[in-house]
Amino acid sequence: MKDIFSKIGSIYRTYKGRSFSHLASGAYRRIMRKSMEYVPKIANIFTPRLFAVAIEPTNFCNLHCKTCYAQRPLLYQPRQKGVMEWALYKKIIDELSQLNYVIELGLNFGGESMLHNKFAKMLEYAASKKVFQIGFNTNGMLLTDDVAQAIVNNRIDRITISLDGLRERHQSIRVGSNYNIVARNIINLIRKRGAYTKPQIITNLTVSEHTPVEITEFINRWVNIVDCVVIEPCQNENLEVINRMTFFDQPTNQKKYCNFPFFYLAILWNGDVTTCCYDIAGINVLGNITKQKIIEVWQSKPFTSLRYAALTNTFGPEILCSKCNVWRTEFIPSSKQTGKIRSHYDRHCKSYQLVKD
């Protein structure tokens, strides 16, 4: 018993004192995960540090992607559509900035963020606090000249543009998108960035019905243009990885628990708080920021109970996590180089970068 409490104390002191740069490192996260495997009751003893938050400006979307389970209302109950009010957004940013450490801030969730008419202002306000690492995902169709300039001016850290293949393949999956427009918008953003290092510009392909040849062609087309090409697995409405055995073609770990409740939460447009980026239906609601402070929700009994359930794999059937298998398999971190392209495998992603001379 004395040894267990000694471990808990050591983990707590290390976790509480770490900066974001240490927390974000894969090695540190793996140490934390491994430690907690052997001390499940740690979830009831201390609250881990929140260091990643997603904010949903809106859950409206301008596309009808085949792979998005939000497009299948008979299988996945849709949420009410809406946009986040500026007062709520400002409250969230102000509260997070008062935590006095760097937060990884994602400005997207269940829709296309650029549909919010104050999205550029949202970027500017968050950047003005100088305590966030800011990034967001977009389908790229609304990446106008003005928005691109706002991204560069505010030194946003990362933008990920979803392209599900080349031309016809992309447009057949992302219904309503135009490959040429998205490609043009990416090139324009790169031009505006100029010699700056921010934002990091990523193109992302979600593997669904793609052949290996199509994936290779996509990587070769974009790896010379953007900073990184990311290939991710596709999940169905039951949160099961599609073509799991095919996608995970490198050595993997079978995880013992999901670590999302230990570092991440998402705030939906109406203030509801959920626990996972896959919960686009807003099923696991653990609080609401219009009525509570963020840290109150993070330290609340529902969140603490969820962490314990995650560590012990005792989710009730009403919790979305009970049927999810996305977290169970992840790549053992590894890298290799083929020609001038370096590939890296970590968690659920394959990433490719050009090795510059």
Side-chain angles (χ1 to χ4, degrees):
M1 181 62 70
K2 183 178 179 180
D3 184 55
I4 290 177
F5 279 100
S6 175
K7 290 180 182 178
I8 293 172
S10 175
I11 293 169
Y12 172 74
R13 289 189 295 272
T14 303
Y15 205 138
K16 188 173 183 178
R18 287 282 177 169
S19 65
F20 174 81
S21 59
H22 289 90
L23 286 168
S25 69
Y28 183 71
R29 287 187 184 185
R30 286 192 292 276
I31 290 171
M32 285 302 301
R33 294 174 200 159
K34 196 66 178 177
S35 298
M36 284 188 272
E37 287 175 12
Y38 297 104
V39 195
K41 291 187 178 180
I42 195 170
N44 287 330
I45 297 174
F46 82 94
T47 302
R49 174 173 285 190
L50 171 66
F51 63 89
V53 175
I55 300 175
E56 180 182 70
T58 180
N59 63 341
F60 282 107
C61 190
N62 54 335
L63 302 185
H64 299 278
C65 304
K66 290 181 179 178
T67 55
C68 179
Y69 32 90
Q71 303 297 331
R72 288 170 269 180
L74 294 179
L75 297 172
Y76 206 73
Q77 184 65 37
R79 286 187 284 129
Q80 180 182 351
K81 299 292 186 181
V83 296
M84 181 172 286
E85 295 183 359
W86 176 255
L88 176 57
Y89 177 77
K90 186 175 182 296
K91 176 182 185 290
I92 293 167
I93 295 300
D94 290 347
E95 285 188 19
L96 291 175
S97 65
Q98 292 168 6
L99 294 178
N100 296 320
Y101 58 85
V102 177
I103 295 281
E104 182 179 348
L105 186 68
L107 289 181
N108 69 279
F109 192 73
E112 173 49 57
S113 297
M114 293 185 193
L115 286 169
H116 197 294
N117 62 6
K118 293 184 179 179
F119 183 67
K121 185 179 178 182
M122 287 177 161
L123 293 176
E124 181 181 4
Y125 190 72
S128 71
K129 299 297 183 178
K130 301 186 184 303
V131 293
F132 299 112
Q133 290 195 343
I134 305 170
F136 66 95
N137 292 25
T138 174
N139 59 48
M141 283 293 290
L142 303 177
L143 186 55
T144 62
D145 200 65
D146 288 343
V147 175
Q149 194 63 60
I151 291 169
V152 173
N153 289 348
N154 290 292
R155 303 292 187 267
I156 303 306
D157 294 277
R158 173 195 56 79
I159 176 172
T160 300
I161 302 102
S162 296
L163 279 171
D164 282 348
L166 300 177
R167 295 178 181 82
E168 289 80 10
R169 172 63 83 184
H170 168 78
Q171 292 173 177
S172 70
I173 296 173
R174 292 189 167 264
V175 179
S177 181
N178 182 301
Y179 178 89
N180 290 333
I181 291 176
V182 177
R184 183 187 66 204
N185 291 344
I186 294 171
I187 299 302
N188 183 52
L189 177 60
I190 293 171
R191 180 182 62 80
K192 284 187 174 296
R193 183 181 66 174
Y196 292 119
T197 58
K198 292 183 179 181
Q200 181 189 32
I201 300 171
I202 301 168
T203 53
N204 177 86
L205 182 149
T206 301
V207 179
S208 55
E209 54 200 45
H210 304 81
T211 67
V213 171
E214 286 178 305
I215 295 171
T216 300
E217 288 177 345
F218 179 83
I219 294 168
N220 290 337
R221 170 68 179 85
W222 284 102
V223 76
N224 297 293
I225 299 173
V226 298
D227 300 312
C228 184
V229 175
V230 172
I231 309 297
E232 291 185 322
C234 183
Q235 298 84 33
N236 62 22
E237 62 277 358
N238 291 316
L239 298 186
E240 298 169 333
V241 175
I242 299 173
N243 299 325
R244 176 174 167 273
M245 298 303 293
T246 303
F247 181 83
F248 289 105
D249 56 355
Q250 299 292 320
T252 60
N253 280 323
Q254 296 303 307
K255 292 172 61 180
K256 293 182 172 62
Y257 73 97
C258 175
N259 66 315
F260 263 86
F262 294 89
F263 71 93
Y264 171 96
L265 62 76
I267 304 172
L268 309 186
W269 68 266
N270 63 349
D272 283 345
V273 175
T274 185
T275 59
C276 176
C277 59
Y278 299 114
D279 184 18
I280 61 174
I283 295 173
N284 291 351
V285 174
L286 299 182
N288 187 285
I289 304 306
T290 64
K291 304 172 185 176
Q292 301 165 274
K293 291 185 177 181
I294 297 170
I295 202 65
E296 289 175 352
V297 176
W298 183 246
Q299 295 174 344
S300 67
K301 183 175 176 58
F303 234 120
T304 299
S305 298
L306 183 71
R307 292 185 192 107
Y308 185 81
L311 286 173
T312 56
N313 200 17
T314 53
F315 296 113
E318 74 284 356
I319 300 295
L320 184 68
C321 312
S322 63
K323 63 179 182 179
C324 175
N325 79 352
V326 176
W327 59 269
R328 296 181 186 275
T329 304
E330 65 179 19
F331 287 116
I332 296 174
S334 64
S335 298
K336 65 180 181 180
Q337 185 169 329
T338 304
K340 289 190 173 184
I341 299 177
R342 178 181 293 121
S343 55
H344 182 67
Y345 304 86
D346 191 19
R347 301 195 69 199
H348 313 114
C349 298
K350 307 173 184 179
S351 60
Y352 301 84
Q353 292 177 295
L354 186 68
V355 180
K356 298 179 181 179
D357 297 327

